[in-house]
Every structure is written in structure tokens, then in C-alpha cells.
Amino acid sequence: MTQTQSAPPATWAPGPAGVPQQAAAAPAPSRRGAVAKWFDGTPGRMRAFLLLLAAISVVFGLAAAQGFGQSDGALDRAQANAAQLVRIQAIHTNLVSANADATNAFLVGGLEPPDQRQHFVDSLAAAAGLIAEAATAQPADRDVLGELNKTLITYEGLIEQARANNRQGLPIGSQYLKDANSVLQDDSLPLVKALVEANEKRVDTEFDGISYGTIWVVVGGLLALVVFGITLRWLARRTHRYLNVPIAAGAALVLLTTAVGGIALAGASSSAKDTRNSEYERTLALSRARIAAYDARSNESLTLIARGSGDEFDKAYNTAAAEVDNQLGKLGSDGTGLRNAWTSYKAVHKQVRDADASKGNWDGAVAMAVGHDKTNNSVDTFSAFDTSSNQQLTTTSTAVQSKLKDARNGLPPIGWLGVPIGIAAALLVAWGMSQRLEEYR
């Protein structure tokens, strides 16, 4: 009778004090080993490609969202900062316009013309309103605008003292006027110029940033397409199937998004660049020309007020007039009418200076400067330039806002569709790769 062989006895190892102990069981497989086995062989490599391609699809979606967010935000900020820059330059224009009114009215003596006085009041009120508006629109400018407002209170007080003394025929009125002009030139306008410079830098930064969105979308798309191509090629060689439809669909989705997004962003960037080089540059040139023109007009009056000792103001006039010529020259053929209007004003100014300095006819010079000479005066010629330049400035500044808004509105909604598109591509990858993995089960 054959005896059934029993299982071998457990192996015992001597323990402490001779007490036998059972030998340790074989160690369980480590977690690292399990992970390595999961990626082992062709199925493992498929899983690796699945994870890589799914991850790169989501990364592409994030890059597309970031790219469109970058360009959309830059367009929005460029629009807002351009509006703030126009606002600051309007403050500057109103201040020098008010000063031109005050100095020219001082030449009249006694009660100044009511319409000129009203224009002075309106200009200062407009400047104050724009200061409040600008402080709300751009918090970064708020402190400087607050300091500017304080200087205007001082300026207005000195102007009122100059007017009061001038109405009484007291010579000290001219000193108050010079002090007011010094406050404007030395305290107020440097603050305005600092604000203009800061906002010009902000606008330039945002215009430059618009093109960065294209880089995000194109680079992200090309990187994803390279990984898709490598994956499809590897699958075709391993499975001997030319095309994996779901993964190819994911690649097509990425390609379509990259093409549409890249073209849209490049178009927006090109439109913004054209706006920057045309309407925006013309807006800056017109604003600077108007500011310099009012400065020249003020110095024309101050030269006459100084009665023979106004060389400093005459030099300031020449500097401001040259700046007007420079800025109008940037307008090209569009500035022909303005250049003609400015030339007409300069021609009358030359006659004012000749009457005062060469012929000693101060009264005749004043008559031309304040408009009492109805046939030939700088009031009418300057008003023609002022009206025309203001109309053109309104047109160009409105065009800047309109074109930047159109560029922004023309962007497809990939900013918020980018991540869903990336997830959709990742799901297509998972679907396509799962078909191949099923064949190994």
C-alpha cells in the first residue's frame, strides 16, 4: 500500500536560548516593482504613452487658455491705459489752455473779455474733473494726481490776485501772474509730465504683451503635435495598423485649435500693431502739439507783459513753437491742414514781435495779440488751429479705443475653451489607447 507523501515539515531555525523559530517568509513584491511591472512590455509602453499624451494634451489646453488670456488681457489693459493717457494729456492741455487765457486776458487790462474768462473757468473745471476721473480709473496715479490738485489750488489763487490787482491798474498784478505761471511750470506740469511718461510706458508694455499670447498657443500646440506624431507612429509599427482614429482625432483637435488660435492671435496682434503705429501715434502727436501750442500762446502774452524784458519768454515761445512743428510733422499728409493753420498763427506772431521789438509799437502788438485788431490778430488764427486740432484729436483717440475693442472682440472664445479642449483631446487618447490595450487581455 503506497503511503501518501506528507508535506515537508516547516524549516526551523534556532532562536535565542536554543528555542527553535520558524524561518521568515519570502518578502512581498515591492510597490516599485509593481509599478515597473505595470509599465513592462508592449502594454506597459502603451500605458506610458497614454499618460504622456494625456498630460501633454491638458498642458496644451492650459497653454491655449493662458495665451488667449494673455492677449485678451493685454488688449483690455492697452485700451484702458491709452484712455488714461489721453485723459492725462487732456488735463495738461486744459491747464496750459487756462494759462494762455489768463495771460492773454491780462494784456487787456481792467475787466477781461467775458468769453475768455469763461473759457479759463471751464478749462480749470475740466482739468479738476479729469483729475478725479483719472484717479478713479488708475489707482497707481492717485497720489500724484492728489499732489497736482493741490498745486492747482495755489495756481488759481495767484491768478485771482493777479486779476484783482490788474483791474485796479496796480503793477504788482504782473508779478502775481508771473508767480502763477511759475507754479504751473515748476510744480504742476512736472507732475503731469511724470504721469504722461508713466502711462506711455504702461501702454507700450501692453502693446508688446499682446503678441506673447501667440507664442503660448503655437509653442504649446507644436509640442503636443510632436508627441501625438511620435505616439501614432509607434502604435502603427507595433500594432500594424496605420491609424488609430480616436488618437488621430485628438491630434486633429489640437491642430485645429493651434491653427485657429494662432491665426486669430496673430491677427489681433497685427491689428494692435497697426493701431499703435497709426491712430495711437497720431493721438500722441496731436496731444503734444496742442500742449506746446498753448504753451507758445502763453509765452507770447508773457513776452508782451514783460515790456522789453521778456527775452526769456520769447525763447520759451520759440522752443514751444518748434515742438509744435516737430509733432505736426509726424502726421504726414493728414496734418497738412493743421500745419497751414499753425503757419498762419506763427505769421501773425511774427508781426506781433516785429511791432513790439522792432518798431516799438507795444500797443499795436497788444492789439494783434488780444484780437482788438480785427483784420490781423493771433486770436483768430490760434482759434482756427485749436478747433481743427481738437477735432482731429477726438477722431484719432476714438479710433484707438474702437480698434483695440474690435481686436479684442474678434478673438475666438479659446480663452475659456482651452482647458476643455485639452481634456477632450486627453479623453480621445485614452479611448484610442484602451482599444489597443484590450487586445492584450
Side-chain angles (χ1 to χ4, degrees), residues 346-411:
K346 288 195 299 180
V348 178
H349 170 79
K350 186 176 184 304
Q351 294 177 37
V352 170
R353 295 306 309 134
D354 287 343
D356 179 36
S358 302
K359 301 176 182 177
N361 184 9
W362 185 83
D363 290 331
V366 170
M368 284 188 285
V370 301
H372 288 173
D373 185 338
K374 300 302 181 182
T375 60
N376 190 31
N377 66 78
S378 60
V379 174
D380 292 340
T381 53
F382 187 86
S383 179
F385 170 80
D386 179 32
T387 301
S388 180
S389 61
N390 184 52
Q391 290 173 348
Q392 288 200 31
L393 177 59
T394 301
T395 300
T396 57
S397 60
T398 301
V400 170
Q401 295 296 308
S402 177
K403 289 197 172 185
L404 290 178
K405 183 179 180 181
D406 289 344
R408 188 184 178 203
N409 291 340
L411 292 176

Side-chain angles (χ1 to χ4, degrees), residues 83-95:
Q84 179 73 347
L85 178 57
V86 170
R87 216 175 274 122
I88 298 298
Q89 288 176 322
I91 293 171
H92 196 165
T93 303
N94 277 289
L95 292 182

Side-chain angles (χ1 to χ4, degrees), residues 265-282:
L265 289 176
S269 178
S270 177
S271 177
K273 184 178 180 181
D274 290 342
T275 302
R276 181 184 193 177
N277 294 334
S278 55
E279 285 83 4
Y280 175 69
E281 287 297 329
R282 285 201 292 273

Side-chain angles (χ1 to χ4, degrees), residues 72 136 146 248 285 290 298 306 328 332 392:
D72 181 73
T136 302
R290 283 172 54 77
S298 296
L328 294 181
Q392 288 200 31

Side-chain angles (χ1 to χ4, degrees), residues 71-257:
S71 291
D72 181 73
L75 281 167
D76 184 39
R77 291 187 297 272
Q79 187 179 350
N81 288 325
Q84 179 73 347
L85 178 57
V86 170
R87 216 175 274 122
I88 298 298
Q89 288 176 322
I91 293 171
H92 196 165
T93 303
N94 277 289
L95 292 182
V96 292
S97 171
N99 196 52
D101 287 330
T103 53
N104 190 257
F106 195 87
L107 283 170
V108 177
L111 291 174
E112 63 267 36
D115 57 341
Q116 196 169 39
R117 170 62 182 172
Q118 189 59 49
H119 191 266
F120 170 84
V121 172
D122 291 344
S123 294
L124 281 186
L130 286 167
I131 287 173
E133 187 180 334
T136 302
Q138 177 55 271
D141 295 339
R142 193 169 293 161
D143 291 342
V144 179
L145 288 166
E147 291 298 317
L148 174 62
N149 203 42
K150 293 177 184 177
T151 67
L152 295 188
I153 295 172
T154 302
Y155 169 79
E156 190 171 6
L158 290 170
I159 287 294
E160 291 307 312
Q161 292 187 62
R163 290 180 64 238
N165 283 280
N166 191 43
R167 283 198 301 269
Q168 300 175 51
L170 300 176
I172 196 173
S174 62
Q175 185 58 50
Y176 278 118
L177 183 66
K178 291 176 183 177
D179 290 343
N181 188 69
S182 295
V183 168
L184 186 71
Q185 298 294 334
D186 300 336
D187 298 336
S188 303
L189 295 188
L191 294 174
V192 176
K193 290 173 183 176
L195 288 169
V196 168
E197 183 178 348
N199 282 281
E200 283 183 353
K201 287 181 179 178
R202 291 187 192 118
V203 174
D204 289 342
T205 298
E206 299 308 336
F207 270 123
D208 291 338
I210 293 169
S211 62
Y212 297 159
T214 310
I215 298 174
W216 278 97
V217 174
V218 172
V219 171
L222 290 177
L223 179 62
L225 289 171
V226 167
V227 178
F228 266 98
I230 293 173
T231 302
L232 287 169
R233 183 173 180 274
W234 183 85
L235 275 176
R237 295 179 63 183
R238 285 286 179 173
T239 63
H240 302 291
R241 289 183 175 89
Y242 289 110
L243 187 65
N244 185 296
V245 175
I247 297 178
L253 181 60
V254 171
L255 176 61
L256 180 64
T257 303

